Amino acid sequence: MVLVRNLRPPTEGVRHEEANTTAVLSGQQLGCGTLYVAETRLSWFDGSGMGFSLEYPSISLHAISRDVSAYPEEHLYVMVNGKLGGEGEAEMTEKAAEEEDDDGSDSSNGDEEEVITEIRFVPRDKASLESMFSAMCECQALHPDPDDEDSDNDFEGEEYNVEEAEYGHADVPTFYTCDEGLSSLTQEGQATLERLEGMLAQSVAQQYHMAGVRTEETKAEFEDGMEVDAAVAEAGQFEDADVEH
Amino acid sequence: MVVNSIRERTIAENSMVVLLQGLQGEVTTVDLRDESSARGLVLNVDAFMNIRLKDVLFLDRRGQTAQLQDLFITGRNVRYVHIPDHVNIMKTMESQLAKIHRVRNFAGGGRKEFGGRKK
C-alpha cells in the first residue's frame, strides 16, 4: 500500500477504469480522479498525477453502499488493512500493521486495535458501481492469501494425467487435466473452459446447448467431454465428428 | 454462478470450506477478524474462503451499522461464519462433495481427474 506522486496508471490487466471518481480517504476528500481496477493493484489518480495504489492482499473487504443514510452518496467502499499515511510513512506503517496482524491472530485480545483505513470511491456514474465491484472481486480472487498455513493446498501438478496413464505418453496432449494444461489454453479457451465447468457445476443432468464457440486447441477435448456416454474411452475419437447441439 | 477452476475444486474438497460453499443462498452472519460483522445472503464462497454477500447489514467494530448492497470479504479476514441452525452440516458437505465428483466424472464417464495426494 503506497501513497505516491508521479506514478503512472497501470496499462496492463486493467479490468475496469472509472473516470470522474472522487476518492475519500479516511473521511478526507482527495478530489476527483480516475480509478483503475487492475489485476496487479488497485489505483487512483487525480489529474495532476498524484494518487495512490493498493495491493489486493491488503484489502480486507469491499462493498457497494447505496445506503444514503450512512453516507450521502452511493459509492464503492474499501476497507484496507493497515494505515495509509503520507509518502514514505506508508511503507513503515504497513510493516507495523503486518506485525500487528501476526500478533493479533495469535492472541485473542490483540486484534481489537488492528489499524484499518476506509476508502470510498464515489463515481459520478452510479451505474458503474456494479462493474467496479465485480472487477474488484475478480482481481481479489487472483490474490489468495499467501500466509495461509491452515490450508493444505499443496496439490500442484498431482492431477491424474489420463493420457499419460492410458497411452504411456503425455507429450501429445489432446486432453489436459492438470494446471500445466490449463496454461496451454488460449484466453478464449480458458474462458470457454471456465464457462463450461460453471455450467456443469450447476447441474449435470440439465439439458444445455453449446454456443458455437470453439478454439482449435480445445476442440478435441470438448468433443470428447460433450458425449455423455460411458462407452467413450478414447480421446480424440470424435475429432472429425460434426458438433451436435 | 460459481466458476471453479480444477485447482479450486481440489482445494475445496480437502478442506472444510466445502461446508461454507454449501451455504450459498442462506442468510447468515460472518464475523470478521477486526470484530466487525456482516449479515446477508451468501452468494458465493470460493476455495480461499473469499465470501460474497448480498443485501448486507454491516456492523462495524465501533458498533455502527450500514447497509451494503454487495459485499466481498477477503478470506483472510474471516474469523467465523455462522451456520444457520436449520442447516444439516454433514448433508451439506456430502452434497457439495458429490457435486465436485459429478463435475469431475462427467468427462469420460468414470475416469478420475485426481488420483491422490502428493504427500
Side-chain angles (χ1 to χ4, degrees):
Chain A
M1 179 167 57
V2 184
L3 185 69
V4 292
R5 296 178 200 276
N6 300 321
L7 186 73
R8 275 163 307 175
T11 46
E12 283 179 12
V14 178
R15 296 287 185 107
H16 188 94
E17 187 179 315
E18 189 67 25
N20 297 307
T21 300
T22 305
V24 185
L25 187 64
S26 302
Q28 197 181 9
Q29 297 257 353
L30 296 184
C32 199
T34 302
L35 176 70
Y36 300 89
V37 185
E39 288 166 4
T40 45
R41 56 183 60 87
L42 185 73
S43 323
W44 178 90
F45 295 96
D46 71 7
S48 75
M50 192 276 287
F52 62 88
S53 207
L54 301 171
E55 302 286 330
Y56 289 103
S58 70
I59 296 176
S60 302
L61 57 88
H62 62 276
I64 295 177
S65 171
R66 295 199 194 271
D67 182 5
V68 292
S69 61
Y71 190 82
E73 289 212 64
E74 295 181 345
H75 63 279
L76 181 71
Y77 173 83
V78 179
M79 185 194 286
V80 179
N81 237 345
K83 194 174 166 102
L84 190 64
E87 276 178 275
E89 249 184 61
E91 272 188 41
M92 280 168 53
T93 51
E94 186 188 18
K95 286 204 188 99
E98 275 173 18
E99 285 166 20
E100 217 175 323
D101 280 347
D102 291 336
D103 291 339
S105 47
D106 290 336
S107 66
S108 57
N109 54 3
D111 340 54
E112 188 104 41
E113 297 311 312
E114 220 171 83
V115 179
I116 59 146
T117 302
E118 294 180 313
I119 306 176
R120 301 177 201 269
F121 294 106
V122 193
R124 189 167 68 189
D125 182 6
K126 307 304 181 207
S128 301
L129 282 172
E130 313 260 349
S131 314
M132 289 159 70
F133 177 81
S134 299
M136 277 197 68
C137 289
E138 288 165 19
C139 295
Q140 193 76 316
L142 298 172
H143 298 260
D145 184 13
D147 298 330
D148 192 359
E149 292 160 4
D150 291 340
S151 302
D152 189 11
N153 294 338
D154 188 17
F155 293 105
E156 294 293 335
E158 180 59 14
E159 302 268 6
Y160 183 71
N161 189 327
V162 171
E163 283 297 306
E164 193 172 42
E166 292 189 10
Y167 301 108
H169 62 83
D171 58 343
V172 184
T174 54
F175 189 91
Y176 289 97
T177 56
C178 65
D179 283 352
E180 286 166 14
L182 286 178
S183 61
S184 296
L185 288 175
T186 61
Q187 221 175 4
E188 197 188 349
Q190 177 66 29
T192 306
L193 173 64
E194 281 174 355
R195 185 162 52 81
L196 286 174
E197 287 193 16
M199 288 162 66
L200 288 173
Q202 297 272 351
S203 168
V204 170
Q206 220 172 35
Q207 287 278 328
Y208 57 87
H209 295 282
M210 273 287 292
V213 177
R214 285 275 190 268
T215 62
E216 295 289 306
E217 289 158 65
T218 59
K219 191 173 175 146
E221 177 187 352
F222 288 121
E223 297 261 353
D224 195 39
M226 286 295 288
E227 305 294 325
V228 188
D229 184 354
V232 174
E234 278 182 78
Q237 185 176 350
F238 294 96
E239 258 175 281
D240 307 324
D242 288 333
V243 176
E244 288 174 17
H245 286 285
Chain B
M1 164 166 310
V2 175
V3 177
N4 281 322
S5 67
I6 290 170
R7 180 176 168 228
E8 281 193 48
R9 274 206 299 278
T10 311
I11 293 170
E13 81 169 332
N14 287 283
S15 92
M16 291 286 289
V17 89
V18 286
L19 172 58
L20 302 186
Q21 290 175 329
L23 294 182
Q24 240 185 62
E26 299 284 341
V27 174
T28 190
T29 303
V30 179
D31 290 344
L32 276 64
R33 287 198 328 175
D34 73 341
E35 316 274 308
S36 59
S37 69
R39 180 166 181 82
L41 182 82
V42 179
L43 287 179
N44 189 48
V45 179
D46 69 14
F48 311 108
M49 222 186 291
N50 294 321
I51 301 173
R52 256 189 86 155
L53 297 174
K54 186 174 108 117
D55 298 329
V56 179
L57 187 66
F58 186 75
L59 181 73
D60 73 19
R61 56 194 192 164
R62 281 162 285 168
Q64 288 175 314
T65 59
Q67 274 188 330
L68 302 168
Q69 179 190 294
D70 266 295
L71 172 64
F72 179 102
I73 304 170
T74 307
R76 186 167 187 247
N77 288 277
V78 175
R79 179 182 287 160
Y80 301 125
V81 177
H82 294 234
I83 311 290
D85 287 339
H86 66 263
V87 169
N88 182 321
I89 292 176
M90 280 308 297
K91 282 211 167 80
T92 302
M93 291 179 68
E94 281 165 1
S95 87
Q96 283 300 117
L97 290 172
K99 276 185 200 163
I100 291 174
H101 294 150
R102 266 208 303 279
V103 171
R104 183 170 295 148
N105 291 330
F106 181 70
R111 289 193 298 196
K112 285 211 184 337
E113 180 182 275
F114 183 71
R117 288 168 77 103
K118 199 173 190 176
K119 298 180 194 165

